[in-house]
Amino acid sequence: MNHAWSLPAFGGQRLAKYTVITKSVLTNNVIVRIGLAVVARAVLSLFPVPFLLKRLNFCPNKILLSHSFCFHPDVMRRACADITVNILYGLYVVVSTGGIDSALIILSYTLILHTVLGLASPRERIRALNTCVSHILAVFVFFIPAITMSMIHRFGRHLHPIVHALVAYVYLVVPPVLNPIIYSVKSKPIREAMLRVLRGKGQG
């Protein structure tokens, strides 16, 4: 549930990258509207969570959480009450964020590839596809830990609690750490600077 904000934010980041190719379509006014829609959807998705959890009665023997942060499915399963409403709400959030964002990402990359393949110069095609590879890697870096955490929480209840905690930390730490690295290594000056730093440490 905590990734209800990060999913639309990530979708907004992908749209921001797409503006490099479609400046004539995504004007500043359109981008502002998209940003407001992303923020509004995230706020509306997260707003009911405290009220849905507050109405539940929690069992004294079920106070240990699997994650170090407020993961809605984890918290609601510690309740000694009917959680049908919470389950339906969680399903709605997953569909309205992950499902829609995934569809928009696939649509945007389809349009990007159509535009790239329409370029006359093979060299320009390679450069554009090289940039697309970075974007796709960033998508994988974000979605794979999120999907892994959800699958382990759903089907890996028999696993040791440290496995749940480790996957949760990977989900929180790895995407924001690798995202700038993926994009920065494509820049030749940054890549050369990083190599100089690593060589200097190796010699030291």
Side-chain angles (χ1 to χ4, degrees):
M1 181 54 237
N2 64 296
H3 54 273
W5 176 275
S6 52
L7 275 175
F10 188 78
Q13 183 183 9
R14 302 280 69 75
L15 288 174
K17 296 296 182 183
Y18 185 47
T19 59
V20 175
I21 298 180
T22 58
K23 288 182 180 180
S24 60
V25 177
L26 294 179
T27 61
N28 291 336
N29 189 29
V30 173
I31 294 174
V32 169
R33 291 182 181 181
I34 292 175
L36 291 176
V38 168
V39 173
R41 188 184 66 172
V43 172
L44 292 175
S45 298
L46 293 174
F47 182 76
V49 174
F51 303 100
L52 290 175
L53 294 177
K54 185 178 180 180
R55 69 181 184 86
L56 299 177
N57 294 320
F58 294 93
C59 302
N61 60 339
K62 292 185 178 181
I63 59 174
L64 184 62
L65 298 177
S66 303
H67 307 290
S68 58
F69 53 89
C70 183
F71 188 49
H72 179 251
D74 192 26
V75 176
M76 72 179 185
R77 293 187 186 280
R78 268 52 183 176
C80 298
D82 184 14
I83 59 174
T84 303
V85 176
N86 296 69
I87 293 175
L88 294 176
Y89 167 74
L91 179 62
Y92 155 75
V93 170
V94 170
V95 173
S96 64
T97 55
I100 294 177
D101 285 353
S102 299
L104 290 176
I105 289 172
I106 293 173
L107 175 62
S108 66
Y109 282 122
T110 301
L111 296 174
I112 289 173
L113 288 176
H114 178 73
T115 303
V116 169
L117 295 177
L119 296 175
S121 172
R123 184 176 180 181
E124 292 298 326
R125 290 182 188 178
I126 294 176
R127 290 181 59 184
L129 290 174
N130 193 29
T131 303
C132 290
V133 169
S134 299
H135 298 172
I136 294 172
L137 288 177
V139 171
F140 286 155
V141 165
F142 178 83
F143 275 104
I144 289 177
I147 294 173
T148 301
M149 185 182 68
S150 298
M151 295 295 289
I152 286 182
H153 183 80
R154 177 66 179 84
F155 301 105
R157 299 177 187 175
H158 62 285
L159 298 175
H160 195 277
I162 195 172
V163 176
H164 292 267
L166 179 61
V167 173
Y169 284 127
V170 169
Y171 165 72
L172 288 177
V173 175
V174 170
V177 170
L178 290 185
N179 204 341
I181 295 177
I182 290 173
Y183 287 111
S184 61
V185 294
K186 290 295 182 180
S187 173
K188 186 176 181 180
I190 296 178
R191 185 168 63 249
E192 292 177 349
M194 292 175 63
L195 290 175
R196 285 196 299 269
V197 172
L198 293 175
R199 290 170 182 171
K201 290 184 177 181
Q203 294 175 357

